[in-house]
Amino acid sequence: MANIASARKRARQAAKRNLHNASLRSRLRTAIKSVRKAILAGDKAAAAKTLQSAQSVIDRIADKKIVHKNAASRHKARLSAAIKSMG
């Protein structure tokens, strides 16, 4: 553990930020899973609607730099392609 007051504060801030970022990352993964689940269900319209709400979540989390913008873009592109290829 840090001995200097500023280092102790930094450690507290880092722990708090880590918890917050972890919850945002979890929200991202949940959004992606919900779209995949909708795709597996086979309803193209429902999957497209789920993707629309998931894209909003993905973009917000990328804006906060929790995940890289290219990673967010890749997730959106692959989900969109999966929906387009549905029967």
Side-chain angles (χ1 to χ4, degrees):
M1 184 64 195
N3 287 326
I4 295 167
S6 61
R8 281 197 299 268
K9 181 177 179 181
R10 269 285 164 211
R12 283 195 310 270
Q13 288 175 328
K16 192 173 180 181
R17 191 170 51 248
N18 186 18
L19 280 174
H20 184 252
N21 289 348
S23 75
L24 290 175
R25 242 187 323 275
S26 174
R27 192 179 300 168
L28 169 80
R29 291 184 186 127
T30 304
I32 292 169
K33 283 178 193 171
S34 67
V35 177
R36 288 197 182 125
K37 196 173 184 182
I39 290 168
L40 285 175
D43 187 359
K44 191 170 184 173
K49 188 170 180 155
T50 310
L51 175 64
Q52 194 173 11
S53 61
Q55 280 179 331
S56 163
V57 172
I58 293 168
D59 286 335
R60 270 182 285 151
I61 291 171
D63 286 343
K64 294 175 183 170
K65 298 181 180 166
I66 307 300
V67 293
H68 196 275
K69 62 186 172 82
N70 291 359
S73 183
R74 184 175 65 246
H75 283 300
K76 291 191 305 183
R78 288 182 181 169
L79 291 171
S80 179
I83 289 172
K84 284 180 183 171
S85 69
M86 287 173 75

